Amino acid sequence: MGHPLGYIGTDIYSRYHRMNGANVLHPMGFDAFGLPAEQYAVETGIHPAITTEKNLETYKRQLKAFGFSYDWDRSVATTDPAYFKWTQWIFLQLFNSWFDPDRKVARPISELIEDLEAGHLSADGVMWQNLEPADKARYIDSRRLAYIDEVPVNWCPALGTVLANEEVTSEGLSDRGNHPVYQRPLRQWMLRITDYADRLIDDLDLVDWPASVVAMQRNWIGRSEGANIVFEVDGDTPPIRVFTTRPDTVFGATYMVLAPEHDLVDSLTAQMWPDGTKPEWTLGIDSPADAVAAYRLATSRKSDRDRQVDEREKTGVFTGTFAINPLNGERIPIFIADYVLMGYGTGAIMAVPGQDERDWEFAEKFDLPIVRTVMPPPDFEGNAYLGDGPAINSGFLDGLEVEAAKARIIQWLEVNGHGEGTITYRLRDWLFSRQRYWGEPIPILHGPNGELRGVDEAELPLRLPEVDDYRPASMDDEDADPMPALAKADEDWRLVEIDGVTYTRELNTMPQWAGSCWYYLRFIDPDNDERMVGREAEEYWMANGGVDLYVGGVEHGVLHLLYARFWHKVLYDLGHVSTPEPFARLFNQGYILADAFTDDRGVYVDAADVKLNDGVYTYNDEEVTRVYGKMGKSLKNSVNPDAIFAEFGVDTLRLYEMFMGPLDTSRPWSTRDIVGVHRFLHRLWRNFIDEDTGEVLVSDEPSSGELQVLLHKTIASVSGDMEHLHFNTAVARLFELNNALVAEDRVPADIAAVFPRLLSPFAPHISEELWHRMGKEGSVVTAPWPHHDEELVREEMATMIVQVNGKVRDRLEVPIGITETEAVALALASERVLAHTGGADPRKVIARLPNVVSLVV
RNA sequence: GCCCGGGUGGCGAAACCGGUAUACGCGGCGGACUUAAAAUCCGCUGUCCUUCGGGGCGUGUGAGUUCAAGUCUCACCCCGGGCACCA
């Protein structure tokens, strides 16, 4: 459980809408697969299902203590077999679908087979009829949205599992636990999220989300337009395809670089160094093959983190082979270097040092020629020139500006068969296998000849087997393939016989994010045994383009929200849900911040036990360092809600958290400030109840005059604030009304009827109590939200400021409908104004009535 | 480096479309009640000058637009977040 700030926010919003007669679905669920539960199981040997169950009870108890109005009948846990049955079912939907690139939608795989058999499509250019059955199966498997592929993956030895790109931080460490991550090729389950890249970008226009999250998603998907260019290579090696966003600079390509892991490296590496090989190109090694092998080994030993150190020197080695620049026929040397990444574009680049800083750096270090193909401005100082300008040294492109040159060269490439315009994404397919125990088993069977078979839907849920040890199997050889924890299951789980064929179960489990990709759908219809979610219920609740309000932390800006959108779109394409996007409105709540403390090892210590003496913080008499961060378990700086409840009560805590600032802003916790809201509640109580006698101090008479106006203004502004989640200002308005009541002997009847209702979303307990003491019918929770009287809110007088030469010189009370002539006359007659105008006629008069008269003299 | 946010009193923060900057709360100061304290209630609380009428200056810095700028434009500084050898 994170800090409850966001939960308080949705609870208030839900209660407000219920009082307005809305049918509110406000659920809470538990994403309980994953590392914490598993690690606890490893340590204690207790099955994670048992500890998970216990934790859920604790969480529920704590959440209930906050007075949250969740519909507990709709609660789900991703670890519940009745739930993950459908997570597995969705996986099978992915497995049984393909992405139709023409229609840009997912379709059942059976339709691909039909199209192939009918001859509408070919299998990568080969007639379907000409394929052997095994090749047909292999082709079909390669087209599925869930497919197995050998790709460079993020291998985290400390966690014993592979990780998705999204789970690796920019420092090259695991998102969970900060362990180093290494690249290595492995056969793993992948989900084809990249096919959805364009739709994941475009459909961000359909949702009401914070700009920052929209930017993060666009950034992560990283669409970039450019061209693929094909370079022929000396000898009998196949040509090399490069991706570039600057095809206009191709005349300046003076060498070429492949990623060290590139497929063609072996076949193009020369037998011996050709004439003219410079010494710095060879690592001092006699043969190209040895030099390349040495460089590749060195690269593979580096963790992602090492590869990303800031002051990175360019390194690389010549392959001994040349490519031909298709534009000018120049022979250019081919290098491998780790500044080119296998996972982006084609894993190969044409290097244009004149217009690329990285290439410039490499060219200088390796003594390679540099040709400018864009004319820099005369005052340009520096190396590579990235800006706009006319093309030079570029044959038929000379004189064209960058954009025009790009269009021209792409046309040339396409006409002459040397390449084509294309789009590349930073986003990569979602690595979906984990070697951990505590996750959803992937419902796939492997046949004796490598054929894949989905577990029958009737067999779902596929439960986890019992094992003695929940750890992924450890390996002596660090290069050995990771061994999933499920490999330790008994044979009667692992092996399945169908029609006399023995299949092996898939031993990987799904990643943490699988269950949370679709839980919002299950809340709609949590007990449905027939379907993931009933069609009618889904259409009813998702009618406004998805979930009406999703409050969560920005930390899900990429991971969870991207994955969930992807799954949702697949389900949409297959007709299982009715909206293209899952979450219509997203709101990021801020964090509660607090001091945290680390000891000399950099380990967090319990902030509650840190003492301050003479400006020095100590823990167990050891000096500790003060840091500042998000309140929570990981920094050990939580304020225990139970202690706050005991001292101030739940209503105070709820109000305090809302009053501290806007919901989307992080703010420091300050126990000192709590007394403010606590005083408010006491004052409210004293306004309504005589503390000595318990008498209810409510008058039979309604309010009048200013107090009545204040009441209606309060109703108006609190209601407006509720819609916009401006809870801090709503609370401030309630403070003002409450303060105004202090001077009254008794609370006027109309105010007494309204105040507990306005307050009840924030402080439900005291509101309910007052409601009952006043003898009102039913619960304040079901009382209708009050409405203000427009007539009473409308002002009759306004304060008009009078400016002389831009400075405020007087303030006058004027009727709201004052005419310009009257206003100006009044302004000019003001003594304070006269003191500054000297009685002279103004040169210019601007009136914005009834607020401003501005005079220029 | 690129992309998002943000910078307002001693502190948390308000200020809708450019129109009274600092609502509301905390803290501080003064007063009432009390033997006293707590609690409560009342008043003051941006800053400088003041003949007590007022006046000058104030929303990170510097320019600009405007009768008028916390709000719009440009440049810069600082803080937070995301991405980063992505061709």
Side-chain angles (χ1 to χ4, degrees):
Chain A
M1 183 175 83
H3 201 85
L5 189 69
Y7 302 158
I8 299 173
T10 56
D11 192 56
I12 291 169
Y13 194 72
S14 301
R15 287 171 178 271
Y16 166 70
H17 278 285
R18 271 190 215 108
M19 291 174 80
N20 273 306
N23 189 8
V24 176
L25 201 172
H26 183 226
M28 172 56 70
F30 304 93
D31 187 14
F33 273 128
L35 281 176
E38 182 180 300
Q39 267 157 359
Y40 187 75
V42 168
E43 282 163 28
T44 61
I46 300 171
H47 195 282
I50 295 167
T51 47
T52 300
E53 186 63 29
K54 255 171 114 178
N55 285 337
L56 294 197
E57 288 312 310
T58 310
Y59 286 148
K60 280 192 188 179
R61 187 179 53 72
Q62 288 180 345
L63 289 166
K64 285 178 180 174
F66 276 93
F68 294 142
S69 59
Y70 293 123
D71 183 346
W72 288 107
D73 292 342
R74 293 180 181 273
S75 187
V76 298
T78 54
T79 48
D80 182 349
Y83 179 89
F84 72 67
K85 167 182 178 176
W86 296 104
T87 310
Q88 291 171 328
W89 178 85
I90 295 170
F91 181 87
L92 289 176
Q93 299 299 307
L94 289 153
F95 179 71
N96 288 319
S97 307
W98 63 295
F99 190 82
D100 181 339
D102 297 325
R103 296 196 214 162
K104 300 203 184 303
V105 295
R107 296 171 58 194
I109 197 85
S110 55
E111 294 181 15
L112 173 63
I113 299 173
E114 283 165 21
D115 281 356
L116 287 161
E117 281 176 349
H120 300 319
L121 293 173
S122 71
D124 291 337
V126 180
M127 290 295 291
W128 185 246
Q129 284 74 12
N130 299 343
L131 287 177
E132 296 296 318
D135 291 330
K136 285 184 177 174
R138 205 169 299 129
Y139 179 73
I140 293 297
D141 287 346
S142 76
R143 296 295 302 271
R144 299 174 185 274
L145 289 183
Y147 65 102
I148 295 179
D149 198 12
E150 169 140 347
V151 286
V153 300
N154 306 298
W155 165 239
C156 181
L159 294 177
T161 187
V162 297
L163 297 171
N165 293 327
E166 290 79 9
E167 293 172 293
V168 181
T169 67
S170 54
E171 278 94 41
L173 300 173
S174 63
D175 183 55
R176 300 272 159 123
N178 276 343
H179 303 294
V181 172
Y182 298 82
Q183 287 283 322
R184 59 177 297 181
L186 275 180
R187 277 177 65 77
Q188 297 284 307
W189 280 99
M190 307 292 292
L191 301 187
R192 221 175 273 287
I193 190 172
T194 51
D195 283 342
Y196 281 82
D198 278 334
R199 283 169 61 190
L200 288 169
I201 288 177
D202 295 344
D203 289 357
L204 288 170
D205 294 340
L206 305 179
V207 294
D208 176 13
W209 283 21
S212 61
V213 176
V214 170
M216 277 161 71
Q217 296 234 335
R218 276 185 213 282
N219 215 332
W220 189 264
I221 296 165
R223 180 184 155 106
S224 66
E225 294 180 23
N228 283 338
I229 304 181
V230 179
F231 283 68
E232 298 295 332
V233 180
D234 277 0
D236 47 9
T237 311
I240 298 170
R241 182 171 281 265
V242 304
F243 173 73
T244 177
T245 53
R246 294 296 302 276
D248 59 301
T249 64
V250 61
F251 284 91
T254 53
Y255 65 102
M256 199 167 196
V257 185
L258 305 193
E261 306 90 344
H262 197 285
D263 283 345
L264 293 178
V265 172
D266 283 326
S267 63
L268 63 71
T269 302
Q271 295 295 315
M272 57 182 65
W273 298 118
D275 290 345
T277 299
K278 296 181 181 171
E280 60 264 44
W281 296 3
T282 66
L283 300 176
I285 294 172
D286 289 339
S287 85
D290 291 345
V292 163
Y295 186 76
R296 289 176 119 182
L297 183 67
T299 306
S300 71
R301 293 279 163 181
K302 283 191 206 169
S303 70
D304 279 13
R305 185 179 214 181
D306 299 332
R307 251 172 114 154
Q308 293 179 355
V309 281
D310 258 346
E311 292 304 316
R312 53 209 128 187
E313 271 279 288
K314 290 281 178 293
T315 60
V317 66
F318 182 38
T319 59
T321 303
F322 291 83
I324 316 291
N325 185 327
L327 272 295
N328 55 19
E330 300 252 347
R331 292 179 77 239
I332 58 176
I334 304 171
F335 285 76
I336 61 171
D338 66 2
Y339 83 93
V340 172
L341 309 174
M342 192 56 226
Y344 185 76
T346 60
I349 61 158
M350 61 174 200
V352 187
Q355 275 78 231
D356 185 289
E357 280 167 5
R358 296 151 301 181
D359 295 344
W360 181 288
E361 219 182 293
F362 190 89
E364 288 219 307
K365 184 162 175 198
F366 288 86
D367 191 22
L368 289 154
I370 294 170
V371 178
R372 286 197 194 279
T373 58
V374 178
M375 174 81 88
D379 58 346
F380 178 73
E381 286 177 34
N383 301 332
Y385 173 65
L386 282 65
D388 207 352
I392 51 172
N393 301 320
S394 293
F396 61 90
L397 297 180
D398 279 353
L400 294 177
E401 297 288 316
V402 171
E403 279 314 306
K406 278 184 186 173
R408 185 72 198 282
I409 191 71
I410 287 171
Q411 188 194 14
W412 186 93
L413 290 168
E414 289 175 356
V415 167
N416 293 281
H418 288 293
E420 66 284 322
T422 188
I423 295 161
T424 289
Y425 303 90
R426 204 189 81 102
L427 179 71
R428 291 182 230 169
D429 275 345
W430 179 10
L431 174 71
F432 201 69
S433 307
R434 296 295 179 278
Q435 287 73 45
R436 315 288 313 190
Y437 175 77
W438 193 229
E440 301 87 346
I442 293 177
I444 293 290
L445 302 172
H446 297 263
N449 302 312
E451 63 269 35
L452 298 174
R453 178 182 174 129
V455 170
D456 283 351
E457 278 182 30
E459 304 280 314
L460 299 181
L462 170 60
R463 291 165 194 259
L464 283 162
E466 294 301 322
V467 294
D468 298 330
D469 178 8
Y470 306 106
R471 261 176 271 249
S474 60
M475 298 142 289
D476 297 334
D477 177 4
E478 68 172 49
D479 291 327
D481 281 356
M483 269 270 256
L486 299 191
K488 294 180 204 163
D490 289 343
E491 276 198 356
D492 50 356
W493 187 87
R494 280 189 288 117
L495 303 182
V496 181
E497 197 176 305
I498 300 171
D499 299 333
V501 179
T502 303
Y503 291 87
T504 317
R505 281 200 194 280
E506 169 65 40
L507 298 176
N508 285 299
T509 49
M510 299 190 200
Q512 165 96 74
W513 314 100
S516 62
C517 267
W518 72 282
Y519 67 97
Y520 56 94
L521 291 171
R522 193 62 182 172
F523 285 143
I524 291 171
D525 197 5
D527 300 318
N528 196 325
D529 297 332
E530 304 298 317
R531 292 174 58 90
M532 166 187 75
V533 53
R535 195 174 292 277
E536 240 177 82
E538 191 272 338
E539 283 172 6
Y540 172 76
W541 288 107
M542 300 288 279
N544 296 326
V547 173
D548 295 300
L549 176 65
Y550 189 8
V551 175
V554 251
E555 69 270 23
H556 294 125
V558 173
L559 284 155
H560 163 59
L561 289 170
L562 195 63
Y563 295 152
R565 293 180 64 217
F566 163 52
W567 275 34
H568 193 88
K569 285 182 184 307
V570 174
L571 294 170
Y572 175 68
D573 288 351
L574 298 176
H576 300 300
V577 296
S578 60
T579 64
E581 282 288 326
F583 312 117
R585 182 179 179 198
L586 175 70
F587 192 92
N588 291 134
Q589 94 268 3
Y591 302 114
I592 303 290
L593 306 173
D595 284 337
F597 300 90
T598 55
D599 62 19
D600 50 8
R601 294 168 303 166
V603 175
Y604 287 100
V605 301
D606 265 323
D609 298 331
V610 171
K611 296 184 174 55
L612 174 64
N613 295 310
D614 304 327
V616 178
Y617 292 98
T618 56
Y619 175 79
N620 288 343
D621 298 328
E622 303 279 322
E623 189 171 341
V624 290
T625 313
R626 185 168 70 132
V627 292
Y628 186 61
K630 186 172 147 184
M631 182 182 278
K633 260 184 274 180
S634 54
L635 304 192
K636 293 194 181 171
N637 60 350
S638 289
V639 171
N640 183 359
D642 292 342
I644 301 293
F645 291 167
E647 193 174 352
F648 298 103
V650 174
D651 284 347
T652 298
L653 181 63
R654 290 172 58 116
L655 267 175
Y656 168 64
E657 295 220 356
M658 293 303 104
F659 183 60
M660 287 158 86
L663 195 60
D664 57 357
T665 308
S666 294
R667 66 300 289 277
W669 176 269
S670 168
T671 304
R672 193 179 72 181
D673 292 346
I674 294 180
V675 297
V677 284
H678 198 234
R679 275 179 204 153
F680 161 77
L681 292 178
H682 274 287
R683 189 175 294 169
L684 177 76
W685 186 259
R686 284 194 309 270
N687 283 335
F688 277 77
I689 309 288
D690 185 306
E691 287 199 290
D692 296 323
T693 64
E695 187 196 351
V696 177
L697 302 173
V698 173
S699 155
D700 293 334
E701 297 297 316
S703 63
S704 60
E706 283 183 27
L707 199 54
Q708 190 187 21
V709 170
L710 178 62
L711 170 66
H712 286 266
K713 281 186 175 174
T714 305
I715 296 170
S717 40
V718 170
S719 303
D721 286 342
M722 289 302 226
E723 293 292 345
H724 299 104
L725 308 176
H726 292 170
F727 300 133
N728 54 329
T729 49
V731 174
R733 297 291 87 81
L734 294 174
F735 268 74
E736 285 173 324
L737 183 58
N738 192 36
N739 289 345
L741 294 176
V742 171
E744 305 293 314
D745 292 334
R746 286 179 168 263
V747 181
D750 52 346
I751 298 182
V754 163
F755 207 129
R757 285 189 270 160
L758 294 180
L759 182 64
S760 72
F762 299 92
H765 305 92
I766 192 174
S767 305
E768 190 72 39
E769 184 66 21
L770 289 174
W771 193 252
H772 281 274
R773 294 246 185 162
M774 291 191 297
K776 299 283 184 189
E777 286 295 309
S779 166
V780 70
V781 165
T782 52
W785 186 259
H787 293 282
H788 67 275
D789 182 338
E790 277 297 338
E791 288 297 315
L792 288 168
V793 171
R794 189 173 302 134
E795 302 276 0
E796 285 177 5
M797 298 295 282
T799 307
M800 181 178 83
I801 58 161
V802 184
Q803 293 185 340
V804 180
N805 289 340
K807 286 192 194 289
V808 179
R809 295 304 179 186
D810 203 0
R811 285 143 211 231
L812 305 167
E813 288 299 310
V814 299
I816 207 106
I818 192 168
T819 66
E820 181 157 345
T821 323
E822 288 167 339
V824 172
L826 218 54
L828 288 171
S830 152
E831 274 183 41
R832 292 177 182 172
V833 171
L834 281 171
H836 289 90
T837 59
D841 277 343
R843 285 191 289 126
K844 194 172 176 187
V845 177
I846 294 112
R848 287 284 176 280
L849 298 173
N851 296 314
V852 181
V853 169
S854 188
L855 308 170
V856 186
V857 294

